[in-house]
Amino acid sequence: MLDAADLPDDVAALKAMLIAAQAREAGKDAQIARKDERIERLEKLVAAFKQAAFGRKSEKTDPDQFDLALEDLETAMAAIHAEDEADAPAGTKVSKPRASNRGSLPQHLPRVEEVIEPESLICACGGCLHRIGEDVSERLDVVPAQFRVIVTHRPKYACRACTDGVAQAPAPARLIQAGLPTEATVAHVLVSKYADHLPLYRQAQIMSRQGIDLDRSTVADWVGRAAFELRPVFDALIADLKRSTKLFMDETHAPVLDPGSRKTKTGYFWALARDDRPWGGGAPSGVAFTYAPGRGGLHAERILQGFSGILQVDGYAGYNRLIAPDRVGPDIRLAYCWAHARRKLVEITRNATAPIAEDGVKRIGELYRIEAELRGLDPEARLAGRLERSAPLIADMHAWLVHHRACVATKSPLGEALAYIAKYWDGLTLFLTDGRIEIDNNSVERTIRPIALNRKNALFAGHDAGAENWATIASLIETCKLNAVDPLAYLTNTLTAIVNGHKQNRIDELMPWNHLAV
């Protein structure tokens, strides 16, 4: 505050000071208003974020679109925080919300060391400064993917003393005879298409930015030839899975272009998966996708030919063919999925107040809480825990189910949901007889999700054969992921081994889980 003695006597100067003070106050008010506006925007974004993350949302909502919405919200929130930091006075520390996961830098990444020295090592007193410590920080850097050319020279040698011929090393084997790509390049294309969901025409555009002009048909030829060479590995993978006695199965639609028309027809990818990790099983995890032109149970039966044991599935009626009384073949028992049973009840609670459905959801939730505590134990311990804790809940739920089915209209949504649980009751409660059985089918549903992602980016497969190639390569890539194996390194080494004559009787060596994990 100014002292009166400091004020000028001149009226014009006083007016100028008053105008300047009012301008400063107006500027402060505007800054506060802008800050309040940003805070309001931030609060709205946070509310939207919470609604998206924790609010009621239909289980039919596209999970990938949900992820995109969260990305946009988080991006907008970060922009608002950047505005606050920009408006803060120099030297003022602006508090930022705690990040849940800022990432980490694994040790296997190469390190490029840089040392930043002071401008001078001479002290203000004239003496020399000596090092007493240092601050070290690490940041993630990237070198954009760069194509290179492998130039192979094969010198020719001849004897000056005779004419016995010319000596020359044989040409190395290639996946694409007389073609441009190395096996690593082909593997990169496969991973980009089937793991990163980047269609071939977009990959061709990326290559063109480095001056590599290739037709999409050329890149597609590489993929087709690689799929052909990898087919024996895929066959060995699915054979290995079917030697298990406990598997998961699910299916998802796959639009395929119908030759001779401008429309698509609906085919299906059937996923056969093994995941013994929840009970500490020794068999490696794996998934094999098989393309079929339809969803009928005969396709599941064909795929499972030779399998005997427990098959965990959803409630699709086509699987009933596998347990038909007159069926001839290996014995298969179906374990059903509590997540699907719960989903039908959850849908009812969203539409109106439904105490019975809400009670059912709560009862199933108690089963899931027990399963979470038993996860990772051996089958015997899991089974003992279930018999002690889950079996009484199941018995009580059965009485609850019978009681309410007698009181609820059969054709009502609740009646149909209860009828679904009753219809599959034996398979839903099979987990009480075997510690290896999971309470739901989520393991295979997670493995089949990348198929849906690829389907969105590619829209449809161009042909049945193209869908079969899709299934072959996706099976190996997703099995790599399940076993913490780098798909690019695996496919590069596997394709190289194949073109160099890897023996068919040693095909097991090419299984993804036998590749060195990263």
Side-chain angles (χ1 to χ4, degrees), residues 47-115:
F49 181 87
K50 288 181 177 179
Q51 174 62 30
F54 307 113
R56 289 188 172 185
K57 54 185 181 294
S58 169
E59 291 191 5
K60 294 182 180 179
T61 300
D62 186 341
D64 306 309
Q65 291 297 329
F66 176 68
D67 288 342
L68 289 174
L70 294 187
E71 288 177 9
D72 290 340
L73 286 172
E74 291 164 337
T75 301
M77 290 168 66
I80 290 178
H81 288 304
E83 290 181 28
D84 280 337
E85 292 175 20
D87 287 343
T92 302
K93 183 177 180 180
V94 179
S95 61
K96 293 186 289 186
R98 176 181 175 272
S100 58
N101 178 13
R102 298 186 61 189
S104 60
L105 300 176
Q107 291 301 314
H108 74 268
L109 293 181
R111 260 62 176 177
V112 178
E113 303 285 345
E114 62 176 10
V115 179

Side-chain angles (χ1 to χ4, degrees), residues 283-297:
S285 301
V287 60
F289 302 107
T290 303
Y291 172 75
R295 197 187 181 197

Side-chain angles (χ1 to χ4, degrees), residues 4 34 70 72 81 91 147 169-170 215 219 231 239 247 319 374 408 435 488 491 495 505 515-516:
R34 287 196 303 271
L70 294 187
D72 290 340
H81 288 304
F147 293 95
D215 291 335
V219 184
R231 186 73 192 190
L247 293 175
Y319 294 115
L374 298 177
V408 175
L488 179 60
L491 288 173
L495 289 172
N505 59 6
H515 193 271
L516 180 63

